């Protein structure tokens, strides 16, 4: 937990700490926007709010999956454009009964412990898919999918406590070998925004969506809305938390592809240990790597 200092002293301390953290400054474009006191203060508040929060408790001891409501697409969608178009468009017919969903499902953790959580209603998952109507992304736009079975199963899932085995509902589609699945228990993590919109941050600052770990830095995924070029990221750290601050040149450019995803590095000065890695929205962005299935 940070020591409470007078505001002016605190901000000077933050500026001093962060000035020593950024990576290769020689790669930073001339005239790039400076990191503002407002952003540093936001990072401090994010770190302070996490340490004794319910989110932190669940992160350490509960069921905190990387995705709040995770589903697994059928592998056949990659080879069957018509089926995937029907799935995205919600053109799904039901020709099967729903299994009972009362009771609990078991989440099994890699340390040998487990947790029981209430099962979700598979009907809700079906209705969620059919109520969503995405404009037809590609032809053919008149194809439909038929659910021939709904059954319980399990899948591997990335969480704050490593790769777990989680109960899922599988939806079997006529003509496809692999089913579609959705988690059959809900995340215990509080629902928070995935990231802060660029319009709510100063120019040259963008939030981090995900991160991966290397020995000397974290690699963050950012998606600046104006497609500005990425700069090396900034890190605000405490004993419990690292808060990542995405940086860009702040200079808009034309997006040449469907997205503006970039992967800047975020150096840190001492081993990460068990510290949580958060973005400016206060959401964890680094989860333990999945163990390949045998």
């Amino acid at each position: 937990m940070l020591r409470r200092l007078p505001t002016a002293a605190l901000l000077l301390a933050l500026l001093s700490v962060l000035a020593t953290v950024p990576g290769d400054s020689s790669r930073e474009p001339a005239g790039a926007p400076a990191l503002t006191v407002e952003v540093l203060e936001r990072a401090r508040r994010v770190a302070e709010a996490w340490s004794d929060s319910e989110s932190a408790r669940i992160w350490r001891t509960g069921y905190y999956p990387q995705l709040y409501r995770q589903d697994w697409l059928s592998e056949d969608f990659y080879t069957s454009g018509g089926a995937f178009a029907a799935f995205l468009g919600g053109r799904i017919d039901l020709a099967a009964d729903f299994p009972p969903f009362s009771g609990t499902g078991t989440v099994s953790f890699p340390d040998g412990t487990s947790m029981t959580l209430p099962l979700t209603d598979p009907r809700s998952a079906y209705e969620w898919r059919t109520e969503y109507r995405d404009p037809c992304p590609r032809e053919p736009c008149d194809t439909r999918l038929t659910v021939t079975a709904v059954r319980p199963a399990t899948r591997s899932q990335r969480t704050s406590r490593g790769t777990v085995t989680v109960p899922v509902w599988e939806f079997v589609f006529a003509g496809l070998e692999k089913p579609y699945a959705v988690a059959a228990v809900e995340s215990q993590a509080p629902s928070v925004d995935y990231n802060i919109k660029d319009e709510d941050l100063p120019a040259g600052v963008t939030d981090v969506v995900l991160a991966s770990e290397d020995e000397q830095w974290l690699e963050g995924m950012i998606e600046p809305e104006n497609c500005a070029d990425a700069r090396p990221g900034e890190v605000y750290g405490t004993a419990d938390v690292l808060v990542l601050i995405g940086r860009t040149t702040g200079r808009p450019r034309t997006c040449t592809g469907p997205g503006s995803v970039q992967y800047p590095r975020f150096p840190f000065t001492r081993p990460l240990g068990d510290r949580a890695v958060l973005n400016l929205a206060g959401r964890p962005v680094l989860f333990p790597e999945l163990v390949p299935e045998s």
Side-chain angles (χ1 to χ4, degrees), residues 4-22:
R4 293 191 178 275
L5 302 174
T7 301
L10 173 61
L11 294 178
L12 286 173
L14 292 175
L15 288 168
S16 175
V17 170
L18 281 166
T20 66
V21 175

Side-chain angles (χ1 to χ4, degrees), residues 220-242:
M221 186 177 87
I222 65 172
E223 193 169 6
E225 294 170 12
N226 64 0
C227 294
D229 292 319
R231 295 172 60 198
E234 306 271 7
V235 177
Y236 173 74
T238 71
D240 301 318
V241 172
L242 289 183

Side-chain angles (χ1 to χ4, degrees), residues 6 13 25 27-28 54 58 61 68 85 89-90 123 130 140 157 210-211 228-229 274-276:
S25 60
R27 293 185 299 167
E28 298 181 7
E54 180 69 0
I58 296 170
T61 65
Y68 191 80
R123 184 178 286 99
T130 55
Q157 184 184 45
L210 290 173
D229 292 319
D274 61 354
R275 288 183 291 174

Side-chain angles (χ1 to χ4, degrees), residues 100-106 116-122 152-153 167-169 183-186:
F101 68 92
S102 61
T104 59
T106 300
T116 57
L117 295 169
L119 289 173
T120 60
D121 185 350
V168 300
W169 298 119
V185 292
E186 292 186 352

